[in-house]
């Protein structure tokens, strides 16, 4: 059942869409300027129509997965109702049009989950505002979903709107009835949050209020729903002790307690993530919400098994100084003959992971949900590298492809330690079954060749960092 959004809806367009749904089985959500349609009787009645169609469709849809011997015995004996394994689990992905969200949506859909994307498409607007673009050409979200269905025959529902608008979010929850919510829907860039006062305020409002709305929606409409929230390893900072997974046991003045690991955020973006973690932990305790906070390291890569099926399914690949991550940026710089830009001394060490492991980790969290009232924290990365380590790896891989890769040190625009101790634990996802894709020569070759393929789309003016942590001011910065 396809699902789209109608903007600037009036009663005539509503009636036409309603007729279309009855005739085709497609599903639309009513929006007006990216918020719910203001005629409540119209929009709520239409959502009930969508919901009814949706439920009928889900009854006949089954996932083709092998049945274990024990499951087969229980089914034949009648002790297990067929809906327990024939009905796909419903997962709402907030921010499903973004870098991590799109790859996750396709991965879960391909795995047999029933997926709905909630997104206000603001990430695409940021590109226009800042004059930047993805290395890869990315199709509209509607074309992406159409192409996915044409290839694999699976539907992904789409709700276009802002989760900071609680009325919109409430209607989406009531229409889809998620069993799990994967929350990527936040402004994800530390440099973006440090451009000027307005972007700092936007980042904290969007991220903190949006997450609060999600928590209230779960409490009100889906109290048994499991929240899988994308956090960041940046919440911890770079302490001179080992980083534990969320909690640390401390003995002080003869008494011992297990407490949340201390947070040392290094930007207004990272601070918003810290606020999110505190709010989620509190609501788990107060309301019995079940939640998993995935403190993710720096993600690299662009292709997954699903996104490489067709060019219209390609994920975005950011290389600029605002949204680009270190390894992706270095590969693009090497491809166009620009020196690799190491900030300061280059000893900054972080956890890294392949985007194929991001989607794998999310599914592991969904398949192994937190208990009622439990706030779990998993450190989501597979390897640790310094910036200098990455520069050396890209230089070596580039030379094998005949590229003349040089490295330069540029003044560090951030306020951070450039040489430090870093050892973060990350065993919980491995214990759940994560099979990591470690950084290898073949993967670096693939990334470099991908960057070379699209190098004509690179705007070299966007490579150097332009956002300074110390120079941020109240005057809006325009491009």
């Amino acid at each position: 059942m396809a699902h789209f959004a109608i903007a600037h809806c009036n009663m005539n367009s509503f009636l036409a869409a309603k007729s279309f749904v009855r005739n085709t089985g497609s599903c639309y959500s009513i929006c007006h300027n990216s918020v719910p349609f203001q005629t409540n009787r119209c929009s709520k009645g239409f959502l009930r129509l969508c919901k009814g169609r949706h439920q009928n469709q889900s009854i006949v849809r089954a996932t083709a997965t092998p049945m274990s011997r024990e499951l087969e015995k229980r089914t034949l004996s009648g002790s297990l109702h067929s809906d327990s394994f024939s009905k796909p689990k419903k997962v709402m992905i907030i921010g499903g049009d973004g870098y991590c969200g799109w790859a996750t949506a396709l991965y879960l859909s391909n795995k047999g989950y029933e997926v709905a994307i909630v997104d206000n498409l603001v990430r695409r607007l940021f590109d226009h505002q800042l004059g930047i673009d993805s290395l890869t050409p990315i199709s509209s979200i509607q074309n992406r979903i159409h192409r996915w269905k044409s290839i694999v025959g699976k539907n992904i529902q789409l709700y276009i709107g802002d989760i900071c608008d609680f009325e919109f979010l409430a209607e989406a929850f009531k229409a889809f009835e998620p069993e799990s919510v994967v929350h990527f829907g936040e402004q994800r860039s530390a440099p973006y949050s440090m451009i000027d006062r307005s972007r700092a305020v936007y980042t904290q409002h969007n991220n903190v209020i949006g997450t609060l709305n999600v928590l209230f929606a779960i409490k009100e409409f889906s109290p048994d729903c499991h929240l899988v929230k994308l956090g960041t390893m940046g919440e911890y900072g770079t302490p001179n002790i080992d980083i534990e997974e969320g909690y640390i046991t401390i003995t002080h003045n003869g008494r011992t307690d297990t407490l949340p690991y201390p947070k040392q955020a290094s930007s207004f973006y990272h601070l918003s993530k810290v606020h999110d973690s505190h709010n989620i932990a509190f609501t788990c305790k107060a309301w019995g919400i079940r939640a998993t906070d995935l403190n993710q390291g720096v993600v690299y890569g662009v292709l997954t098994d699903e996104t490489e099926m067709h060019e219209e399914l390609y994920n975005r690949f950011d290389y600029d100084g605002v949204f680009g991550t270190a390894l992706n940026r270095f590969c693009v710089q090497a491809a166009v003959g620009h020196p690799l830009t190491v900030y300061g001394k280059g000893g900054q060490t972080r956890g890294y992971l392949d985007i194929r492991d991001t989607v794998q980790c999310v599914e592991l969290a969904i398949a192994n949900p937190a208990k009622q009232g439990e706030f779990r924290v998993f450190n989501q990365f597979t390897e640790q590298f310094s910036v200098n380590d990455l520069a050396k790896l890209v230089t070596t891989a580039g030379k094998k492809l005949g590229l003349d890769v040089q490295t330069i040190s540029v003044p560090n625009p951030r306020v951070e330690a450039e040489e430090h101790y870093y050892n973060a634990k990350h065993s919980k996802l491995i214990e759940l079954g994560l099979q990591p894709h470690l950084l290898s020569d073949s993967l670096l070759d693939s990334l470099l060749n991908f960057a070379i393929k699209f190098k004509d789309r690179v705007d070299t003016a966007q490579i150097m960092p332009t956002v300074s942590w110390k120079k941020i001011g109240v005057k809006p910065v325009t491009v």
Side-chain angles (χ1 to χ4, degrees):
M1 178 176 55
H3 189 115
F4 309 96
I6 302 173
H8 309 289
C9 178
N10 55 33
M11 185 57 70
N12 289 333
S13 61
F14 164 74
L15 292 173
K18 183 175 179 180
S19 174
F20 183 82
V21 168
R22 285 177 172 161
N23 292 329
T24 67
S26 299
C27 186
Y28 283 74
S29 60
I30 306 287
C31 301
H32 180 73
N33 293 334
S34 298
V35 298
F37 184 59
Q38 298 303 308
T39 305
N40 290 334
R41 184 182 302 174
C42 168
S43 60
K44 290 180 180 177
F46 193 76
L47 281 166
R48 281 196 297 273
L49 173 66
C50 293
K51 181 178 171 184
R53 289 274 176 179
H54 172 69
Q55 286 176 334
N56 291 337
Q57 177 113 348
S58 67
I59 290 172
V60 299
R61 186 187 305 154
T63 54
T65 55
M67 191 185 302
S68 69
R69 288 179 177 270
E70 181 60 28
L71 184 60
E72 187 174 0
K73 287 179 183 178
R74 291 167 64 194
T75 304
L76 292 173
S77 68
S79 63
L80 183 65
H81 194 276
S82 61
D83 277 357
S84 298
F85 61 87
S86 64
K87 206 173 178 184
K89 192 167 188 176
K90 300 170 76 171
V91 180
M92 174 182 284
I93 301 178
I94 300 173
D97 187 48
Y99 176 54
C100 292
W102 177 241
T104 301
L106 296 190
Y107 180 81
L108 293 179
S109 177
N110 209 27
K111 284 278 189 175
Y113 291 86
E114 187 173 345
V115 174
I117 287 175
V118 175
D119 206 302
N120 64 355
L121 311 184
V122 72
R123 177 63 189 85
R124 296 171 183 257
L125 178 63
F126 292 160
D127 281 352
H128 293 300
Q129 289 177 336
L130 298 175
I132 57 181
D133 202 357
S134 164
L135 174 72
T136 49
I138 51 175
S139 298
S140 70
I141 185 62
Q142 291 87 355
N143 287 345
R144 283 174 153 186
I145 290 174
H146 285 158
R147 179 59 62 187
W148 177 245
K149 184 179 180 181
S150 73
I151 293 173
V152 301
K154 295 178 182 288
N155 297 298
I156 294 177
Q157 296 190 47
L158 175 62
Y159 298 84
I160 295 179
D162 190 342
I163 64 170
C164 288
D165 174 5
F166 186 74
E167 289 185 15
F168 160 77
L169 185 62
E171 292 298 320
F173 260 77
K174 287 185 284 186
F176 185 66
E177 298 179 335
E179 296 166 82
S180 295
V181 171
V182 181
H183 184 14
F184 292 111
E186 300 198 320
Q187 193 294 100
R188 65 170 178 83
S189 164
Y192 186 90
S193 75
M194 303 299 294
I195 291 175
D196 55 30
R197 184 205 65 84
S198 65
R199 265 85 172 207
V201 171
Y202 170 83
T203 298
Q204 297 227 341
H205 179 271
N206 180 80
N207 294 2
V208 177
I209 302 304
T211 298
L212 268 177
N213 281 347
V214 171
L215 292 168
F216 272 97
I218 290 174
K219 178 180 185 292
E220 188 70 21
F221 308 114
S222 302
D224 197 45
C225 182
H226 176 213
L227 173 63
V228 179
K229 167 69 165 59
L230 193 76
T232 171
M233 289 296 295
E235 291 187 31
Y236 299 122
T238 54
N240 199 36
I241 59 173
D242 290 355
I243 297 173
E244 304 297 330
E245 296 202 64
Y247 298 91
I248 186 169
T249 300
I250 298 174
T251 299
H252 179 66
N253 291 342
R255 302 186 67 84
T256 301
D257 201 356
T258 298
L259 302 168
Y261 196 94
K263 307 296 176 68
Q264 300 182 76
S266 59
S267 72
F268 290 119
Y269 155 74
H270 291 105
L271 283 163
S272 75
K273 292 289 195 176
V274 172
H275 300 328
D276 286 342
S277 295
H278 290 326
N279 286 336
I280 297 169
F282 169 73
T283 56
C284 288
K285 185 184 298 184
W287 302 340
I289 285 177
R290 58 179 80 218
T292 301
D293 204 0
L294 297 175
N295 282 342
Q296 182 168 254
V298 184
V299 185
Y300 58 82
V302 63
L303 294 178
T304 64
D305 290 344
E306 292 77 24
T307 62
E308 68 178 344
M309 288 181 181
H310 193 279
E311 287 187 357
E312 282 194 311
L313 301 180
Y314 276 173
N315 207 346
R316 67 180 308 117
F317 191 107
D318 297 308
Y319 64 89
D320 59 274
V322 177
F323 287 98
T325 56
L327 185 57
N328 285 357
R329 294 185 70 229
F330 283 176
C331 287
V332 170
Q333 290 168 11
V336 298
H338 191 288
L340 309 187
T341 53
V342 171
Y343 293 174
K345 297 178 181 178
Q348 303 93 319
T349 302
R350 303 289 187 269
Y352 288 80
L353 76 162
D354 191 305
I355 193 167
R356 292 173 295 178
D357 292 337
T358 291
V359 300
Q360 194 184 162
C361 290
V362 171
E363 197 213 354
L364 286 169
I366 293 170
N368 302 275
K371 299 175 184 176
Q372 204 80 39
E374 181 185 11
F375 177 60
R376 303 185 305 187
V377 181
F378 296 161
N379 291 344
Q380 183 172 303
F381 70 95
T382 56
E383 298 176 275
Q384 292 182 178
F385 298 102
S386 71
V387 175
N388 286 330
D389 291 336
L390 295 178
K392 290 175 183 176
L393 289 169
V394 172
T395 299
T396 301
K399 286 180 178 178
K400 291 180 181 178
L401 296 177
L403 300 175
D404 180 20
V405 184
Q406 304 295 322
T407 299
I408 58 172
S409 174
V410 301
N412 193 345
R414 304 185 179 213
V415 176
E416 62 184 358
E418 295 178 4
E419 294 177 318
H420 56 86
Y421 176 81
Y422 195 84
N423 185 42
K425 306 292 180 62
H426 57 112
S427 61
K428 292 181 180 179
L429 285 161
I430 297 292
E431 291 167 2
L432 287 179
L434 172 63
Q435 297 179 333
H437 297 81
L438 301 181
L439 188 58
S440 62
D441 291 343
S442 60
L443 177 64
L444 281 170
D445 287 348
S446 173
L447 269 176
L448 284 166
N449 280 311
F450 198 83
I452 292 168
K453 176 181 177 180
F454 291 102
K455 70 177 183 178
D456 290 342
R457 289 177 52 86
V458 174
D459 177 4
T460 55
Q462 301 298 335
I463 289 178
M464 296 297 291
T466 57
V467 179
S468 170
W469 263 231
K470 291 184 178 181
K471 294 180 181 178
I472 182 174
V474 299
K475 183 178 179 181
V477 174
T478 58
V479 176

